[in-house]
Amino acid sequence: MTALWPFIIAGVADGAVYALAAVGLVLTFRISGVFNFAHGSVAAASAYVFYELHVNHGMAWGWAALITFVAVGVGGGLVLERIAFWLSDAPTMLRVVATVGILVALLSFLTGHYGSQSLFVDPYLPQGGVDVASTRIQYSQMITFAIGAVGTAALYIFFKRAKLGIAMQAVVDNAPLVSLGGTNPVLVRRLAWMIGSCFVSVSGILLAPDVGVDVNTLTLLVISAFGAAAIGAFNNLPLTFAGGVAIGVVSSVMAYKTASVDSDVVQGLYTNLPFIVLVIALIAYPRRYLVERGVERVRRLRPAPVFPVPVRVLTVAGGLTLALILPSWAGAKINSYTVGLCFVVIFAGLALVLWTSGQVPLGQMAFAAIGASTFAHLQNHNTPWLLGLLLSGFVLVPIAAVLAMLAIRLSGVYLAILTFGFGILIERLFFTTGLMFGSSNVSEVGRPELFGLPTDSDKGYYYATLGVAVLCLALVAAVRTTRLGRLLRGYGDSPAAVRAHGADTTVMGVLAFCASAFVSGIAGALLAGVTGSAAGSSFSFTMSLTMIAVLVACSVFTLGAPMPITLSILAGLVYQVSTAYFTNQSYIDYQGVVLGLVAIGVACAPGIRASASGLPRLVRPERPPGRSPARARWAAVAPRSAS
């Protein structure tokens, strides 16, 4: 037991950092109903700002930390509060898309500006420590734990005792009622977002010396706070803090215990423990504990336009004609169009769930990765190409069915969180195992020779991919136009109304998930054939996040109307084909910034228009008897009277 104490103490300190970030996440979710998927990228931004000031400009670490705290914590909180305000009546899908857009934009900017190499910050907290029972406890560890514990305790007391803290818990459900009590809801929201952003900003500053300043590492580490938040059911602050510390301790002890085990999966368990906890907690918690706030009154999405049959036929015929003659002028860029077709199919599978049932899956590339690795294994056993392609899709049907049955009961933002955790676990636990890509993370894949045609050439493989893509898009279109599709669209608008008419919404959701996973698995297999190898690096979990931002960003071309097939084609062109023509390094580096910002704009546009039109306005509440005029406050978002 004595040998474990250093690891337990280190785990307590690390866990306090996770807990600090998790508490900030829970706070903002409780008061706004917006789950901030960009929480980790805010911590990364904080670490980079601290590095810029402390290392590049030689500023004393205390001043650098203070400026970072104000700029990223306070300033970032004000920006996030505005975005959350514009999303206050948005459906869950757009709330998720907006914060994912922030994540994509920040990751792209930080990577483009600082590069992908890790930067290093020397330890700045006091060195040395004290010996307790033959175990050395570093001053930095004690300070880190104290910051997390004191911050959480102060916030908990503030929630329980202070009038403003109590108002924070009510503002998301009924802001006008809060204003009648003499408290300004705008002030409440801003304060809460500033506190939450400051908490995660401190986490980024504390992590910088230990793990280095690396955008992907920091983002993933702080996303580990999702597991701690899940232990607290995304609501309970003390339990969230305790969960963060517990995850830190168990991870540290597991790292020590599994170091000598000859298994990549076992050795990787300690780094993936937060995501395992996240998935288990979401599955195990009764539905009543996973409350999604602020969704009682949301605006509906703009309905998709219905075009006459002749217009649709001519559009499809024109599109197919263009696709058939494309190789004659694409030249050496033909492989870029083939990759674009593969992503069109993946986007179509994503859009099927996103805009049919209103659910938000964030693990689409995990399905594509399973399809690609399955196809590689089948080819190694000399399975015919077409049969292997079909089996690569069908193998995902039971996987998607199980995931859907677990996720459907959650719905809303919790379904997005669960599929997000699923995507990370597939990549980090299984990519390098024999089940998927192997220890080299790459599996060889060949191209077919179908019906005696040269489909193994670049041009021939493009046509083979085009044929499969057309069939997959036809399947998605068929699902949308059948009775199942109509019920799913009704389910997206009002699940209770669909259930009231006797429809089994669970079966509908499972079928939609299975169809989406099926076409994504086929697309993954096709994608591997472009380069001749199935590589895990081609299916990073961050791509799932970027893709949903791209898909929604492309809706600016349809004026916000959800047109899944059209948007899937546009998204494939923007996401993949455009890079073959816009080869400027700045475009490649900062493409995600533009796409992320456009996705945020699309999600927030209705709220911005409503705010600009004067629908919400400031009013002065009635002054309660006995209250001095000096204590009367302005309140917000009271609806304008009909007069």
Side-chain angles (χ1 to χ4, degrees), residues 536-569:
S537 58
S538 301
F539 304 96
S540 170
F541 81 93
T542 57
M543 295 175 68
S544 297
L545 304 178
T546 305
M547 287 176 64
I548 196 168
V550 172
L551 189 62
V552 174
C554 286
S555 65
V556 297
F557 297 109
T558 62
L559 302 179
M563 302 169 63
I565 303 299
T566 302
L567 289 174
S568 298
I569 296 171

PDB file of all heavy atoms in Angstrom, residues 536-569:
ATOM      1  N   GLY A 536      -6.138   4.296 -39.294  1.00  0.00           N
ATOM      2  CA  GLY A 536      -6.903   4.900 -38.214  1.00  0.00           C
ATOM      3  C   GLY A 536      -6.817   6.406 -38.204  1.00  0.00           C
ATOM      4  O   GLY A 536      -7.762   7.092 -37.786  1.00  0.00           O
ATOM      5  N   SER A 537      -5.705   6.973 -38.676  1.00  0.00           N
ATOM      6  CA  SER A 537      -5.546   8.427 -38.693  1.00  0.00           C
ATOM      7  C   SER A 537      -6.545   9.110 -39.612  1.00  0.00           C
ATOM      8  O   SER A 537      -6.752  10.324 -39.521  1.00  0.00           O
ATOM      9  CB  SER A 537      -4.118   8.787 -39.120  1.00  0.00           C
ATOM     10  OG  SER A 537      -3.834   8.249 -40.401  1.00  0.00           O
ATOM     11  N   SER A 538      -7.164   8.341 -40.511  1.00  0.00           N
ATOM     12  CA  SER A 538      -8.157   8.919 -41.427  1.00  0.00           C
ATOM     13  C   SER A 538      -9.534   9.054 -40.792  1.00  0.00           C
ATOM     14  O   SER A 538     -10.449   9.597 -41.417  1.00  0.00           O
ATOM     15  CB  SER A 538      -8.278   8.040 -42.682  1.00  0.00           C
ATOM     16  OG  SER A 538      -7.049   7.926 -43.353  1.00  0.00           O
ATOM     17  N   PHE A 539      -9.676   8.552 -39.546  1.00  0.00           N
ATOM     18  CA  PHE A 539     -11.001   8.511 -38.926  1.00  0.00           C
ATOM     19  C   PHE A 539     -10.965   9.085 -37.517  1.00  0.00           C
ATOM     20  O   PHE A 539     -11.564   8.534 -36.600  1.00  0.00           O
ATOM     21  CB  PHE A 539     -11.531   7.074 -38.906  1.00  0.00           C
ATOM     22  CG  PHE A 539     -11.593   6.416 -40.251  1.00  0.00           C
ATOM     23  CD1 PHE A 539     -10.561   5.594 -40.686  1.00  0.00           C
ATOM     24  CD2 PHE A 539     -12.661   6.633 -41.096  1.00  0.00           C
ATOM     25  CE1 PHE A 539     -10.608   4.979 -41.929  1.00  0.00           C
ATOM     26  CE2 PHE A 539     -12.718   6.036 -42.342  1.00  0.00           C
ATOM     27  CZ  PHE A 539     -11.685   5.213 -42.765  1.00  0.00           C
ATOM     28  N   SER A 540     -10.253  10.181 -37.330  1.00  0.00           N
ATOM     29  CA  SER A 540     -10.132  10.790 -36.006  1.00  0.00           C
ATOM     30  C   SER A 540     -11.490  11.239 -35.485  1.00  0.00           C
ATOM     31  O   SER A 540     -12.345  11.698 -36.252  1.00  0.00           O
ATOM     32  CB  SER A 540      -9.175  11.981 -36.072  1.00  0.00           C
ATOM     33  OG  SER A 540      -9.215  12.729 -34.877  1.00  0.00           O
ATOM     34  N   PHE A 541     -11.675  11.146 -34.158  1.00  0.00           N
ATOM     35  CA  PHE A 541     -12.962  11.538 -33.574  1.00  0.00           C
ATOM     36  C   PHE A 541     -13.230  13.024 -33.777  1.00  0.00           C
ATOM     37  O   PHE A 541     -14.392  13.457 -33.822  1.00  0.00           O
ATOM     38  CB  PHE A 541     -12.986  11.188 -32.078  1.00  0.00           C
ATOM     39  CG  PHE A 541     -12.286  12.181 -31.194  1.00  0.00           C
ATOM     40  CD1 PHE A 541     -12.974  13.221 -30.600  1.00  0.00           C
ATOM     41  CD2 PHE A 541     -10.924  12.074 -30.953  1.00  0.00           C
ATOM     42  CE1 PHE A 541     -12.327  14.140 -29.786  1.00  0.00           C
ATOM     43  CE2 PHE A 541     -10.266  12.978 -30.139  1.00  0.00           C
ATOM     44  CZ  PHE A 541     -10.971  14.010 -29.553  1.00  0.00           C
ATOM     45  N   THR A 542     -12.173  13.840 -33.904  1.00  0.00           N
ATOM     46  CA  THR A 542     -12.403  15.269 -34.129  1.00  0.00           C
ATOM     47  C   THR A 542     -13.072  15.528 -35.471  1.00  0.00           C
ATOM     48  O   THR A 542     -13.739  16.549 -35.647  1.00  0.00           O
ATOM     49  CB  THR A 542     -11.075  16.044 -34.064  1.00  0.00           C
ATOM     50  OG1 THR A 542     -10.162  15.498 -35.028  1.00  0.00           O
ATOM     51  CG2 THR A 542     -10.451  15.951 -32.680  1.00  0.00           C
ATOM     52  N   MET A 543     -12.908  14.589 -36.413  1.00  0.00           N
ATOM     53  CA  MET A 543     -13.552  14.759 -37.714  1.00  0.00           C
ATOM     54  C   MET A 543     -15.066  14.695 -37.581  1.00  0.00           C
ATOM     55  O   MET A 543     -15.791  15.377 -38.322  1.00  0.00           O
ATOM     56  CB  MET A 543     -13.049  13.689 -38.682  1.00  0.00           C
ATOM     57  CG  MET A 543     -11.571  13.806 -39.019  1.00  0.00           C
ATOM     58  SD  MET A 543     -10.967  12.457 -40.056  1.00  0.00           S
ATOM     59  CE  MET A 543     -11.844  12.817 -41.586  1.00  0.00           C
ATOM     60  N   SER A 544     -15.563  13.877 -36.658  1.00  0.00           N
ATOM     61  CA  SER A 544     -17.010  13.805 -36.441  1.00  0.00           C
ATOM     62  C   SER A 544     -17.556  15.161 -36.015  1.00  0.00           C
ATOM     63  O   SER A 544     -18.657  15.562 -36.418  1.00  0.00           O
ATOM     64  CB  SER A 544     -17.336  12.754 -35.379  1.00  0.00           C
ATOM     65  OG  SER A 544     -16.944  11.470 -35.793  1.00  0.00           O
ATOM     66  N   LEU A 545     -16.784  15.884 -35.189  1.00  0.00           N
ATOM     67  CA  LEU A 545     -17.211  17.196 -34.734  1.00  0.00           C
ATOM     68  C   LEU A 545     -17.154  18.211 -35.874  1.00  0.00           C
ATOM     69  O   LEU A 545     -18.077  19.007 -36.071  1.00  0.00           O
ATOM     70  CB  LEU A 545     -16.320  17.652 -33.579  1.00  0.00           C
ATOM     71  CG  LEU A 545     -16.234  16.708 -32.381  1.00  0.00           C
ATOM     72  CD1 LEU A 545     -15.282  17.258 -31.333  1.00  0.00           C
ATOM     73  CD2 LEU A 545     -17.604  16.477 -31.773  1.00  0.00           C
ATOM     74  N   THR A 546     -16.041  18.166 -36.630  1.00  0.00           N
ATOM     75  CA  THR A 546     -15.910  19.098 -37.748  1.00  0.00           C
ATOM     76  C   THR A 546     -17.009  18.875 -38.775  1.00  0.00           C
ATOM     77  O   THR A 546     -17.569  19.831 -39.333  1.00  0.00           O
ATOM     78  CB  THR A 546     -14.538  18.933 -38.413  1.00  0.00           C
ATOM     79  OG1 THR A 546     -13.507  19.088 -37.435  1.00  0.00           O
ATOM     80  CG2 THR A 546     -14.352  19.965 -39.519  1.00  0.00           C
ATOM     81  N   MET A 547     -17.357  17.614 -39.020  1.00  0.00           N
ATOM     82  CA  MET A 547     -18.340  17.304 -40.056  1.00  0.00           C
ATOM     83  C   MET A 547     -19.719  17.853 -39.728  1.00  0.00           C
ATOM     84  O   MET A 547     -20.427  18.347 -40.609  1.00  0.00           O
ATOM     85  CB  MET A 547     -18.395  15.796 -40.280  1.00  0.00           C
ATOM     86  CG  MET A 547     -17.179  15.252 -41.014  1.00  0.00           C
ATOM     87  SD  MET A 547     -17.211  13.461 -41.164  1.00  0.00           S
ATOM     88  CE  MET A 547     -18.672  13.249 -42.186  1.00  0.00           C
ATOM     89  N   ILE A 548     -20.098  17.786 -38.459  1.00  0.00           N
ATOM     90  CA  ILE A 548     -21.431  18.303 -38.122  1.00  0.00           C
ATOM     91  C   ILE A 548     -21.452  19.820 -38.261  1.00  0.00           C
ATOM     92  O   ILE A 548     -22.463  20.413 -38.678  1.00  0.00           O
ATOM     93  CB  ILE A 548     -21.861  17.850 -36.714  1.00  0.00           C
ATOM     94  CG1 ILE A 548     -23.368  18.056 -36.544  1.00  0.00           C
ATOM     95  CG2 ILE A 548     -21.115  18.582 -35.616  1.00  0.00           C
ATOM     96  CD1 ILE A 548     -23.935  17.377 -35.327  1.00  0.00           C
ATOM     97  N   ALA A 549     -20.305  20.473 -37.965  1.00  0.00           N
ATOM     98  CA  ALA A 549     -20.221  21.920 -38.173  1.00  0.00           C
ATOM     99  C   ALA A 549     -20.290  22.257 -39.658  1.00  0.00           C
ATOM    100  O   ALA A 549     -20.955  23.211 -40.067  1.00  0.00           O
ATOM    101  CB  ALA A 549     -18.927  22.452 -37.559  1.00  0.00           C
ATOM    102  N   VAL A 550     -19.606  21.463 -40.485  1.00  0.00           N
ATOM    103  CA  VAL A 550     -19.611  21.698 -41.932  1.00  0.00           C
ATOM    104  C   VAL A 550     -21.013  21.511 -42.496  1.00  0.00           C
ATOM    105  O   VAL A 550     -21.497  22.312 -43.310  1.00  0.00           O
ATOM    106  CB  VAL A 550     -18.623  20.743 -42.629  1.00  0.00           C
ATOM    107  CG1 VAL A 550     -18.764  20.836 -44.144  1.00  0.00           C
ATOM    108  CG2 VAL A 550     -17.192  21.059 -42.223  1.00  0.00           C
ATOM    109  N   LEU A 551     -21.681  20.440 -42.077  1.00  0.00           N
ATOM    110  CA  LEU A 551     -23.011  20.140 -42.613  1.00  0.00           C
ATOM    111  C   LEU A 551     -23.991  21.262 -42.324  1.00  0.00           C
ATOM    112  O   LEU A 551     -24.764  21.682 -43.202  1.00  0.00           O
ATOM    113  CB  LEU A 551     -23.511  18.820 -42.010  1.00  0.00           C
ATOM    114  CG  LEU A 551     -24.785  18.232 -42.615  1.00  0.00           C
ATOM    115  CD1 LEU A 551     -24.587  17.890 -44.077  1.00  0.00           C
ATOM    116  CD2 LEU A 551     -25.217  16.990 -41.834  1.00  0.00           C
ATOM    117  N   VAL A 552     -23.959  21.773 -41.102  1.00  0.00           N
ATOM    118  CA  VAL A 552     -24.876  22.862 -40.749  1.00  0.00           C
ATOM    119  C   VAL A 552     -24.431  24.169 -41.395  1.00  0.00           C
ATOM    120  O   VAL A 552     -25.261  24.974 -41.830  1.00  0.00           O
ATOM    121  CB  VAL A 552     -24.967  22.996 -39.222  1.00  0.00           C
ATOM    122  CG1 VAL A 552     -25.804  24.205 -38.838  1.00  0.00           C
ATOM    123  CG2 VAL A 552     -25.582  21.735 -38.619  1.00  0.00           C
ATOM    124  N   ALA A 553     -23.110  24.392 -41.487  1.00  0.00           N
ATOM    125  CA  ALA A 553     -22.621  25.622 -42.128  1.00  0.00           C
ATOM    126  C   ALA A 553     -23.075  25.701 -43.576  1.00  0.00           C
ATOM    127  O   ALA A 553     -23.374  26.794 -44.084  1.00  0.00           O
ATOM    128  CB  ALA A 553     -21.097  25.683 -42.041  1.00  0.00           C
ATOM    129  N   CYS A 554     -23.136  24.560 -44.258  1.00  0.00           N
ATOM    130  CA  CYS A 554     -23.547  24.557 -45.666  1.00  0.00           C
ATOM    131  C   CYS A 554     -25.015  24.914 -45.851  1.00  0.00           C
ATOM    132  O   CYS A 554     -25.441  25.194 -46.980  1.00  0.00           O
ATOM    133  CB  CYS A 554     -23.254  23.191 -46.293  1.00  0.00           C
ATOM    134  SG  CYS A 554     -21.504  22.903 -46.615  1.00  0.00           S
ATOM    135  N   SER A 555     -25.782  24.919 -44.767  1.00  0.00           N
ATOM    136  CA  SER A 555     -27.194  25.276 -44.905  1.00  0.00           C
ATOM    137  C   SER A 555     -27.384  26.756 -45.232  1.00  0.00           C
ATOM    138  O   SER A 555     -28.503  27.178 -45.520  1.00  0.00           O
ATOM    139  CB  SER A 555     -27.971  24.911 -43.632  1.00  0.00           C
ATOM    140  OG  SER A 555     -27.532  25.682 -42.531  1.00  0.00           O
ATOM    141  N   VAL A 556     -26.290  27.536 -45.199  1.00  0.00           N
ATOM    142  CA  VAL A 556     -26.423  28.925 -45.664  1.00  0.00           C
ATOM    143  C   VAL A 556     -26.770  28.955 -47.149  1.00  0.00           C
ATOM    144  O   VAL A 556     -27.393  29.915 -47.629  1.00  0.00           O
ATOM    145  CB  VAL A 556     -25.122  29.725 -45.411  1.00  0.00           C
ATOM    146  CG1 VAL A 556     -24.814  29.824 -43.938  1.00  0.00           C
ATOM    147  CG2 VAL A 556     -23.948  29.133 -46.166  1.00  0.00           C
ATOM    148  N   PHE A 557     -26.384  27.910 -47.879  1.00  0.00           N
ATOM    149  CA  PHE A 557     -26.696  27.849 -49.310  1.00  0.00           C
ATOM    150  C   PHE A 557     -28.166  27.514 -49.552  1.00  0.00           C
ATOM    151  O   PHE A 557     -28.683  27.762 -50.644  1.00  0.00           O
ATOM    152  CB  PHE A 557     -25.820  26.810 -50.007  1.00  0.00           C
ATOM    153  CG  PHE A 557     -24.353  27.129 -49.971  1.00  0.00           C
ATOM    154  CD1 PHE A 557     -23.488  26.385 -49.187  1.00  0.00           C
ATOM    155  CD2 PHE A 557     -23.840  28.176 -50.709  1.00  0.00           C
ATOM    156  CE1 PHE A 557     -22.131  26.675 -49.152  1.00  0.00           C
ATOM    157  CE2 PHE A 557     -22.483  28.472 -50.677  1.00  0.00           C
ATOM    158  CZ  PHE A 557     -21.622  27.725 -49.892  1.00  0.00           C
ATOM    159  N   THR A 558     -28.832  26.913 -48.566  1.00  0.00           N
ATOM    160  CA  THR A 558     -30.254  26.580 -48.707  1.00  0.00           C
ATOM    161  C   THR A 558     -31.114  27.508 -47.855  1.00  0.00           C
ATOM    162  O   THR A 558     -32.266  27.198 -47.567  1.00  0.00           O
ATOM    163  CB  THR A 558     -30.502  25.119 -48.297  1.00  0.00           C
ATOM    164  OG1 THR A 558     -30.146  24.940 -46.917  1.00  0.00           O
ATOM    165  CG2 THR A 558     -29.689  24.169 -49.153  1.00  0.00           C
ATOM    166  N   LEU A 559     -30.524  28.638 -47.417  1.00  0.00           N
ATOM    167  CA  LEU A 559     -31.232  29.632 -46.602  1.00  0.00           C
ATOM    168  C   LEU A 559     -31.776  29.019 -45.315  1.00  0.00           C
ATOM    169  O   LEU A 559     -32.851  29.380 -44.831  1.00  0.00           O
ATOM    170  CB  LEU A 559     -32.365  30.277 -47.409  1.00  0.00           C
ATOM    171  CG  LEU A 559     -31.931  30.977 -48.700  1.00  0.00           C
ATOM    172  CD1 LEU A 559     -33.144  31.560 -49.409  1.00  0.00           C
ATOM    173  CD2 LEU A 559     -30.892  32.051 -48.428  1.00  0.00           C
ATOM    174  N   GLY A 560     -31.003  28.079 -44.751  1.00  0.00           N
ATOM    175  CA  GLY A 560     -31.370  27.479 -43.481  1.00  0.00           C
ATOM    176  C   GLY A 560     -32.329  26.320 -43.569  1.00  0.00           C
ATOM    177  O   GLY A 560     -32.649  25.704 -42.551  1.00  0.00           O
ATOM    178  N   ALA A 561     -32.804  25.993 -44.753  1.00  0.00           N
ATOM    179  CA  ALA A 561     -33.753  24.884 -44.902  1.00  0.00           C
ATOM    180  C   ALA A 561     -33.012  23.552 -44.811  1.00  0.00           C
ATOM    181  O   ALA A 561     -31.964  23.373 -45.431  1.00  0.00           O
ATOM    182  CB  ALA A 561     -34.485  24.977 -46.230  1.00  0.00           C
ATOM    183  N   PRO A 562     -33.533  22.580 -44.055  1.00  0.00           N
ATOM    184  CA  PRO A 562     -32.884  21.268 -43.938  1.00  0.00           C
ATOM    185  C   PRO A 562     -33.164  20.394 -45.164  1.00  0.00           C
ATOM    186  O   PRO A 562     -34.220  19.777 -45.282  1.00  0.00           O
ATOM    187  CB  PRO A 562     -33.525  20.681 -42.676  1.00  0.00           C
ATOM    188  CG  PRO A 562     -34.865  21.324 -42.580  1.00  0.00           C
ATOM    189  CD  PRO A 562     -34.714  22.700 -43.183  1.00  0.00           C
ATOM    190  N   MET A 563     -32.218  20.336 -46.080  1.00  0.00           N
ATOM    191  CA  MET A 563     -32.333  19.515 -47.291  1.00  0.00           C
ATOM    192  C   MET A 563     -31.178  18.515 -47.272  1.00  0.00           C
ATOM    193  O   MET A 563     -30.092  18.781 -47.807  1.00  0.00           O
ATOM    194  CB  MET A 563     -32.282  20.405 -48.534  1.00  0.00           C
ATOM    195  CG  MET A 563     -33.385  21.466 -48.562  1.00  0.00           C
ATOM    196  SD  MET A 563     -33.150  22.723 -49.850  1.00  0.00           S
ATOM    197  CE  MET A 563     -33.236  21.716 -51.332  1.00  0.00           C
ATOM    198  N   PRO A 564     -31.368  17.354 -46.613  1.00  0.00           N
ATOM    199  CA  PRO A 564     -30.254  16.444 -46.311  1.00  0.00           C
ATOM    200  C   PRO A 564     -29.406  16.036 -47.498  1.00  0.00           C
ATOM    201  O   PRO A 564     -28.174  16.079 -47.422  1.00  0.00           O
ATOM    202  CB  PRO A 564     -30.957  15.237 -45.687  1.00  0.00           C
ATOM    203  CG  PRO A 564     -32.198  15.799 -45.085  1.00  0.00           C
ATOM    204  CD  PRO A 564     -32.630  16.890 -46.018  1.00  0.00           C
ATOM    205  N   ILE A 565     -30.019  15.626 -48.619  1.00  0.00           N
ATOM    206  CA  ILE A 565     -29.228  15.149 -49.759  1.00  0.00           C
ATOM    207  C   ILE A 565     -28.436  16.297 -50.369  1.00  0.00           C
ATOM    208  O   ILE A 565     -27.229  16.181 -50.628  1.00  0.00           O
ATOM    209  CB  ILE A 565     -30.138  14.494 -50.816  1.00  0.00           C
ATOM    210  CG1 ILE A 565     -30.938  13.341 -50.198  1.00  0.00           C
ATOM    211  CG2 ILE A 565     -29.300  14.001 -51.979  1.00  0.00           C
ATOM    212  CD1 ILE A 565     -30.092  12.231 -49.643  1.00  0.00           C
ATOM    213  N   THR A 566     -29.092  17.414 -50.603  1.00  0.00           N
ATOM    214  CA  THR A 566     -28.407  18.579 -51.169  1.00  0.00           C
ATOM    215  C   THR A 566     -27.277  19.045 -50.272  1.00  0.00           C
ATOM    216  O   THR A 566     -26.159  19.322 -50.726  1.00  0.00           O
ATOM    217  CB  THR A 566     -29.406  19.729 -51.382  1.00  0.00           C
ATOM    218  OG1 THR A 566     -30.457  19.294 -52.242  1.00  0.00           O
ATOM    219  CG2 THR A 566     -28.720  20.947 -51.981  1.00  0.00           C
ATOM    220  N   LEU A 567     -27.550  19.129 -48.978  1.00  0.00           N
ATOM    221  CA  LEU A 567     -26.532  19.595 -48.043  1.00  0.00           C
ATOM    222  C   LEU A 567     -25.381  18.608 -47.916  1.00  0.00           C
ATOM    223  O   LEU A 567     -24.230  19.011 -47.723  1.00  0.00           O
ATOM    224  CB  LEU A 567     -27.163  19.851 -46.676  1.00  0.00           C
ATOM    225  CG  LEU A 567     -28.081  21.075 -46.605  1.00  0.00           C
ATOM    226  CD1 LEU A 567     -28.776  21.159 -45.262  1.00  0.00           C
ATOM    227  CD2 LEU A 567     -27.287  22.351 -46.854  1.00  0.00           C
ATOM    228  N   SER A 568     -25.664  17.311 -48.036  1.00  0.00           N
ATOM    229  CA  SER A 568     -24.597  16.313 -47.977  1.00  0.00           C
ATOM    230  C   SER A 568     -23.640  16.478 -49.154  1.00  0.00           C
ATOM    231  O   SER A 568     -22.416  16.375 -48.997  1.00  0.00           O
ATOM    232  CB  SER A 568     -25.197  14.900 -47.980  1.00  0.00           C
ATOM    233  OG  SER A 568     -26.012  14.703 -46.855  1.00  0.00           O
ATOM    234  N   ILE A 569     -24.184  16.731 -50.337  1.00  0.00           N
ATOM    235  CA  ILE A 569     -23.338  16.943 -51.526  1.00  0.00           C
ATOM    236  C   ILE A 569     -22.514  18.214 -51.373  1.00  0.00           C
ATOM    237  O   ILE A 569     -21.305  18.234 -51.646  1.00  0.00           O
ATOM    238  CB  ILE A 569     -24.209  16.994 -52.787  1.00  0.00           C
ATOM    239  CG1 ILE A 569     -24.896  15.631 -53.004  1.00  0.00           C
ATOM    240  CG2 ILE A 569     -23.380  17.368 -54.009  1.00  0.00           C
ATOM    241  CD1 ILE A 569     -25.940  15.631 -54.101  1.00  0.00           C
TER     242      ILE A 569
END
